[in-house]
Amino acid sequence: MKCAGDIDTREVEELYINIDPIQAGGRLTPEAHKAVIAFADGYSVCDNCLKPFRLDYINKPPIAQFHRDVAEWLNMDQVRVVPGARRGFQAVASTMVEKGDPVILTALSHYTEFVSLEQSGGIIHEIPKDAENRITAENAAAKLDEVTKKFGRAPALLFVEHVDYQYGNIHEVKEIAKAAHQYDVPVLMNGAYSVGIMPVDGKVFGVDFVVGSGHKSMASPAPSGVLAANGEYAERVFRTTQVKGDVTGRTFGIKEVEMMGCTLMGAPVVGMMASFPAVKARVGHWDHEVANSNKVVDALLSIEGTTVESEYPRRHTLTRINTLGSFDKVAATHKKKGFFLSGSLKKKGVIGVIPGSTRVWKFNTYGLGDMQIDHLARTFVEVAEENGLSVS
Amino acid sequence: MSQRAVDAVFQGLYLFTDLRAVLRETAPGHRLDEEQRVAVAQALEKVRKQADILEKELLQ
């Protein structure tokens, strides 16, 4: 069925259980779908944009209140909506980092964190992960010390992931922030896999910036995200324009330099707003989500030869699983080779595993109902048994 | 201008969105429990009402 021209209607979420690792937390709520229907036109949120003509001042729809609500929810001083987490990284890097400044990332940082710092000319150093694929305060302190000695000055900025995209592991953000602050290094917490699905309190973590992804974890259309900041850092990253045209003498009011004036308009921002009450509520059910995640991981681990590369028991819904000793052995002799796994899963109503993957792959159980979790766990076991693998 | 017709279009789309949500919640089997069956029946009834309003406002 086409929705327009040669564009197929996307029916993936209606027909299947989708365990794609990056899509789970971004599925829209019905409220967001309705808001998108009403506000799909380009400048739709600008009907009532009055002086001082800035997105976060608009009261109808209540975008201004949404900004205040998100800041309170994250326990941060100020928030702006941004077109994806990456634009949050970019705004902070552009503000805090000068060319040649040392900066710190982690061995599990997302490429957009790297690229944002590359744009600013930062010299990147990674905190290594430990044997359990975690970023520890001990390794962070050692890296801070090493880089400070090497450059004769402290790093300009440190990025750390609350939850990383590779393993879905939870890292020692609070302790790492404490270590960084001993060197007066500001800390940005990448909450792309936490803000909107699990509890996040910026002041408890003691970080200076929190970045979240709307389309990854806040049930919002893409591109969307949030950038939150505290105290003096909020003043710096949300500074207003001072520029003046030399011929016209024009100035540009209170437009914010790093935000390029207004950020999210139309469907992305109202979608985010419409989902927000449900997002706030669902964070309170995080323990149940984690229990569901463990249920599925345990089903996979019951298949002989399967191991989990993420921390275990799971504390998150995104998991990296190793099936070299199970499904990959089947693939070696199967007529469909590695495609047998995704094909078998799809026949049973499950999609989201990269076609051809039978070695190390990721999946995410976030947001599935209990019946769907049972179906998913049973499906992995059935596919194993149908292909001659032992299940304990 | 027919405010009623415009409202009926949006109300119909929102009701279909609720039905879409049920399809998502029950994928892949789409086996509905009693509560979901009641909700779907109510939504369909309301959708028909919106269609009636549109017919009256735009075609009669």
Side-chain angles (χ1 to χ4, degrees):
Chain A
M1 179 182 167
K2 306 289 183 188
C3 61
D6 291 333
I7 305 168
D8 287 326
T9 300
R10 182 175 185 264
E11 299 173 330
V12 163
E13 307 292 350
E14 289 75 21
L15 292 173
Y16 301 98
I17 293 172
N18 181 8
I19 56 171
D20 186 296
I22 64 171
Q23 293 182 334
R27 274 191 287 267
L28 297 197
T29 59
E31 294 79 17
H33 272 136
K34 292 173 189 176
V36 167
I37 287 168
F39 280 85
D41 294 313
Y43 279 103
S44 57
V45 299
C46 307
D47 294 335
N48 296 290
C49 182
L50 308 171
K51 270 190 175 179
F53 305 119
R54 206 173 78 191
L55 183 83
D56 53 311
Y57 281 74
I58 293 173
N59 287 311
K60 191 179 177 183
I63 298 173
Q65 185 62 46
F66 177 64
H67 279 75
R68 293 190 287 272
D69 291 345
V70 175
E72 184 183 356
W73 176 62
L74 291 174
N75 199 12
M76 297 289 286
D77 292 348
Q78 291 194 56
V79 160
R80 298 290 184 274
V81 291
V82 288
R86 64 193 65 196
R87 295 298 180 187
F89 306 146
Q90 187 182 40
V92 175
S94 170
T95 300
M96 304 302 299
V97 180
E98 300 288 338
K99 189 176 181 183
D101 280 349
V103 290
I104 294 185
L105 288 172
T106 82
L108 297 173
S109 290
H110 192 256
Y111 79 91
T112 54
E113 296 173 73
F114 277 81
V115 173
S116 69
L117 292 166
E118 182 181 16
Q119 281 186 337
S120 297
I123 300 175
I124 289 164
H125 296 77
E126 295 172 279
I127 303 168
K129 61 188 174 74
D130 71 3
E132 277 78 47
N133 301 310
R134 293 183 181 126
I135 306 300
T136 65
E138 185 181 353
N139 282 351
K143 184 59 66 174
L144 282 157
D145 187 57
E146 174 196 322
V147 173
T148 301
K149 282 178 179 159
K150 180 178 170 185
F151 284 80
R153 57 193 163 109
L157 185 62
L158 182 148
F159 280 12
V160 62
E161 299 72 44
H162 184 194
V163 176
D164 71 88
Y165 75 100
Q166 292 191 43
Y167 296 91
N169 288 349
I170 297 175
H171 305 289
E172 296 178 350
V173 173
K174 184 178 177 180
E175 297 79 6
I176 290 168
K178 192 175 175 186
H181 287 160
Q182 287 173 354
Y183 291 80
D184 288 329
V185 176
V187 176
L188 179 150
M189 187 186 86
N190 175 1
Y193 280 101
S194 60
V195 172
I197 61 170
M198 60 189 284
V200 170
D201 185 316
K203 296 229 165 56
V204 166
F205 283 123
V207 295
D208 305 291
F209 303 97
V210 172
V211 170
S213 170
H215 52 261
K216 208 165 260 166
S217 297
M218 296 178 76
S220 305
S224 59
V226 293
L227 167 60
N230 277 337
E232 62 165 303
Y233 295 116
E235 301 306 317
R236 288 174 67 178
V237 75
F238 301 133
R239 69 195 178 281
T240 53
T241 175
Q242 303 297 312
V243 75
K244 187 175 184 179
D246 69 332
V247 173
T248 62
R250 287 180 298 159
T251 57
F252 303 95
I254 61 164
K255 302 292 189 196
E256 292 170 335
V257 176
E258 297 296 347
M259 300 295 107
M260 292 291 286
C262 299
T263 52
L264 282 194
M265 292 170 277
V269 71
V270 292
M272 201 178 215
M273 290 163 57
S275 278
F276 189 53
V279 164
K280 279 197 292 187
R282 76 186 193 178
V283 163
H285 305 136
W286 178 241
D287 288 347
H288 187 70
E289 293 285 348
V290 172
N292 278 346
S293 172
N294 276 300
K295 194 180 279 186
V296 175
V297 171
D298 286 344
L300 278 161
L301 292 179
S302 74
I303 302 165
E304 190 179 353
T306 300
T307 59
V308 59
E309 296 198 350
S310 304
E311 58 187 356
Y312 180 81
R314 299 297 301 122
R315 295 192 293 158
H316 197 271
T317 57
L318 168 67
T319 296
R320 183 175 168 121
I321 202 88
N322 183 323
T323 51
L324 273 163
S326 53
F327 291 132
D328 197 53
K329 282 189 174 173
V330 175
T333 56
H334 200 284
K335 63 180 179 183
K336 292 183 179 173
K337 302 196 182 301
F339 293 92
F340 94 92
L341 180 57
S342 57
S344 300
L345 292 171
K346 190 171 183 181
K347 279 183 190 163
K348 292 173 183 289
V350 174
I351 60 157
V353 174
I354 295 174
S357 293
T358 49
R359 296 180 175 183
V360 178
W361 45 280
K362 298 185 291 184
F363 67 96
N364 197 336
T365 59
Y366 189 77
L368 299 179
D370 291 350
M371 301 273 280
Q372 292 173 315
I373 289 291
D374 289 343
H375 181 99
L376 179 60
R378 194 169 57 243
T379 293
F380 280 129
V381 169
E382 283 176 5
V383 170
E385 287 175 335
E386 287 165 8
N387 287 281
L389 294 171
S390 297
V391 177
S392 57
Chain B
M1 175 174 36
S2 173
Q3 180 74 50
R4 271 195 99 209
V6 173
D7 288 348
V9 164
F10 278 109
Q11 189 60 36
L13 291 168
Y14 297 158
L15 288 162
F16 277 121
T17 300
D18 290 332
L19 293 170
R20 184 182 182 187
V22 173
L23 291 174
R24 287 178 166 223
E25 287 163 13
T26 58
H30 299 146
R31 281 185 286 276
L32 279 55
D33 63 25
E34 194 49 39
E35 193 179 332
Q36 288 164 326
R37 291 175 68 86
V38 169
V40 166
Q42 288 175 344
L44 287 173
E45 191 180 335
K46 289 178 184 171
V47 165
R48 288 189 190 98
K49 280 183 186 167
Q50 305 314 311
D52 289 344
I53 292 169
L54 285 166
E55 193 168 23
K56 192 173 173 186
E57 292 289 317
L58 300 179
L59 299 180
Q60 289 178 8

